[in-house]
Amino acid sequence: MKRILVTGGAGFLGSHLIDRLVEHGHEVVCLDNLQTGNEENIKHLEERITFVKHDITNSFPDLGDFDEIYNLACPASPIHYQANPVHTFKTSILGALNVLELARQTGAKIFQASTSEVYGDPLVHPQPEDYWGNVNPIGIRSCYDEGKRGAETLFSDYARMYNVEIKIVRIFNTYGPRMDPKDGRVVSNFIMQSLQNKSLTVYGDGKQSRSFCYVDDLIEGFIRMMATPKEIQGPINLGNPNEFTMLELAKKVIRFTGNESPLQFNELPQDDPKQRQPVIDEASHILNWHPKVSLDIGLQKTIAYFVNRVEC
Ligand code: NAD
Ligand code: UDP
């Protein structure tokens, strides 16, 4: 049994990760400021984990020693990370420094939830890990993109300077149950809008693409990455390489909800990447990881979860 810290553990991905860690018999401390997360996501675990309400940009209370730290704390939805961009940048950089110091002091292995956003609006398609990206340093997405790039730098320098054992994964758009219905990301927006018989808000012409990974597949990748030998540091892409336009996604959501929701075309946000698809050869060779859940199946599972949220 290991003692494991999960920052951002009350969020969408964090709560699924904690489910898996508890299932494996580990002792888990969940640390979260509840900015975009929700205690409801971990309520079923309240007897089995310790919850600490704390912002990772502030120095940490004494939490004891850890074998492993997963750093997931950071709003992931553009509307949330853009709401207070300075705090987002602090979360990415000061937060990373605080968790890295904790890892250094306690000898913990540390995992960073990085993102496909480090590739920006990519000029190379699909994106392998050795592509350095095309990122606007001063745009409205920069607090997140550059913050996550800076965090990768800090992780890499802590490994080089202090021999801290690091694991970096770059997550491509992931969806599933426990996304916040008001989160603002495309999958939760389309599903909620369709279930409520509202128009689906397609930004731009809807021809921009993303590759959507179901949450269970992603969490399996996290666990496999954390279990790799010390020399494996990443960054490693984790995502489902099947790529869809937002129009294709909208059509699928409409088909699976059974509601004839119309499309409403809104302005495309600034710096919105036109396309995104991971090369997952590294994850395949190093982790023997392959996403298994198709978008059709994953959407149906996610819609089943959101149906209950609409009724509540
Ligand atoms: P989420 O918003 O549901 O979860 C983030 C969690 O971090 C929330 O519980 C929030 O309250 C907490 N948090 C935010 N700032 C904090 C701070 N300063 N101190 C303490 N807690 C803080 O988002 P998610 O989709 O679960 O994303 C989790 C992580 O994965 C994030 O780091 C995100 O950047 C990364 N990621 C997610 C995706 C995706 O598609 N879901 C893609 C790329 C990267
Ligand atoms: N998007 C959309 N309608 C929405 C929300 C998002 O068309 O209601 C688009 C958005 O412009 C982007 C894609 O869907 O091109 C994915 O957006 P999301 O916010 O989910 O993630 P990210 O842009 O970070 O990949």
Side-chain angles (χ1 to χ4, degrees):
M1 186 180 89
K2 292 178 186 149
R3 191 156 190 276
I4 302 176
L5 175 68
V6 180
T7 75
F12 160 50
L13 296 180
S15 63
H16 284 278
L17 172 63
I18 294 177
D19 277 344
R20 281 289 295 271
L21 298 174
V22 168
E23 205 177 284
H24 290 180
H26 300 303
E27 181 187 340
V28 176
V29 177
C30 167
L31 186 142
D32 201 298
N33 68 353
L34 301 180
Q35 185 183 332
T36 53
N38 191 329
E39 272 186 282
E40 278 299 310
N41 289 338
I42 47 169
K43 198 169 171 41
H44 59 291
L45 297 169
E46 70 187 347
E47 310 276 293
R48 303 172 69 181
I49 66 170
T50 305
F51 175 72
V52 180
K53 185 161 186 235
H54 184 77
D55 190 308
I56 61 163
T57 63
N58 299 324
S59 56
F60 279 29
D62 184 6
L63 300 169
D65 286 351
F66 293 101
D67 302 295
E68 295 176 353
I69 300 171
Y70 287 86
N71 184 37
L72 271 61
C74 187
S77 162
I79 56 163
H80 287 297
Y81 70 64
Q82 288 164 19
N84 184 343
V86 173
H87 190 259
T88 300
F89 202 70
K90 280 186 180 169
T91 294
S92 300
I93 302 298
L94 286 181
L97 272 171
N98 285 330
V99 288
L100 282 163
E101 268 307 310
L102 185 66
R104 182 184 170 199
Q105 283 156 21
T106 66
K109 206 192 293 191
I110 182 164
F111 173 106
Q112 168 66 358
S114 190
T115 169
S116 54
E117 287 289 321
V118 301
Y119 301 119
D121 191 5
L123 304 177
V124 169
H125 192 75
Q127 296 81 54
E129 289 85 351
D130 59 7
Y131 174 49
W132 289 352
N134 176 41
V135 178
N136 176 359
I138 55 166
I140 57 171
R141 294 177 85 102
S142 313
C143 58
Y144 183 76
D145 300 9
E146 296 289 19
K148 290 283 188 179
R149 285 169 70 95
E152 287 197 10
T153 308
L154 279 168
F155 269 69
S156 305
D157 283 331
Y158 263 71
R160 278 187 288 262
M161 278 185 76
Y162 305 120
N163 203 24
V164 169
E165 184 169 357
I166 62 159
K167 310 284 176 195
I168 301 173
V169 300
R170 291 181 179 155
I171 305 163
F172 285 64
N173 299 62
T174 300
Y175 68 98
R178 296 195 200 141
M179 291 184 93
D180 183 340
K182 296 196 181 72
D183 178 84
R185 281 179 274 186
V186 68
V187 175
S188 44
N189 270 8
F190 282 1
I191 292 177
M192 285 302 291
Q193 290 161 346
S194 187
L195 289 175
Q196 294 169 325
N197 281 309
K198 293 181 181 162
S199 306
L200 269 54
T201 52
V202 176
Y203 300 163
D205 60 9
K207 290 186 182 147
Q208 71 273 33
S209 68
R210 295 291 187 272
S211 306
F212 295 103
C213 184
Y214 188 66
V215 61
D216 291 356
D217 281 334
L218 184 82
I219 300 301
E220 179 62 31
F222 282 15
I223 302 286
R224 288 181 187 224
M225 181 63 175
M226 195 56 132
T228 54
K230 184 166 182 177
E231 61 274 15
I232 307 293
Q233 300 183 340
I236 288 189
N237 288 340
L238 289 179
N240 189 322
N242 291 328
E243 188 181 350
F244 298 89
T245 65
M246 297 313 105
L247 288 176
E248 288 169 328
L249 177 70
K251 277 192 197 133
K252 282 183 185 290
V253 169
I254 289 168
R255 174 149 60 94
F256 295 133
T257 60
N259 290 347
E260 278 303 319
S261 325
L263 303 184
Q264 175 190 314
F265 290 87
N266 292 353
E267 202 181 330
L268 187 70
Q270 188 194 325
D271 291 339
D272 198 282
K274 283 179 273 310
Q275 53 184 4
R276 212 184 276 144
Q277 188 197 117
V279 173
I280 57 164
D281 295 352
E282 295 259 317
S284 167
H285 296 143
I286 298 172
L287 310 179
N288 191 22
W289 177 84
H290 306 93
K292 295 196 174 81
V293 182
S294 68
L295 184 58
D296 284 9
I297 299 293
L299 280 179
Q300 289 173 67
K301 287 172 183 245
T302 310
I303 289 168
Y305 168 83
F306 278 104
V307 165
N308 295 327
R309 299 295 296 253
V310 173
E311 283 165 1
C312 279

